[in-house]
Amino acid sequence: HRALEEWMASFEPGPETVWPTAPPARANAQNEGYIEAIDRESLLSLVAEHGLLIRLRVRPGDFLVEGELLAEVWPAATWQAHA
């Protein structure tokens, strides 16, 4: 788990991070329970294939209830305008 935590920390937004002002698509929990793992390879594939910006709102070990926010997602056209 330490390697995942270090990888996740490397993507922490800094104070200079500017998030798109357009409303994101929201990915919400469909069940309650603990986040056991995040499949970073699949996320990176989605980002690369579809040009997405994904802002994860959870980390392994977090407990979620149904409907709680997991991630926000913007299409490339939205976030590249802010780069």
Side-chain angles (χ1 to χ4, degrees):
H1 293 286
R2 182 166 174 77
L4 177 59
E5 289 174 10
E6 289 173 2
W7 178 82
M8 297 279 298
S10 72
F11 290 97
E12 284 293 318
E16 71 285 350
T17 301
V18 178
W19 294 100
T21 56
R26 297 170 51 96
N28 297 315
Q30 295 180 0
N31 300 300
E32 71 173 34
Y34 286 97
I35 300 292
E36 295 180 12
I38 295 175
D39 183 352
R40 64 184 185 189
E41 288 81 18
S42 291
L43 284 176
L44 290 173
S45 291
L46 284 171
V47 166
E49 185 176 338
H50 300 286
L52 302 174
L53 173 64
I54 299 175
R55 183 179 190 183
L56 293 176
R57 298 304 211 141
V58 298
R59 293 179 169 264
D62 288 351
F63 183 83
L64 298 175
V65 295
E66 184 177 341
E68 194 168 345
L69 182 62
L70 294 169
E72 297 168 311
V73 182
W74 290 269
T78 303
W79 64 269
Q80 289 176 344
H82 294 81

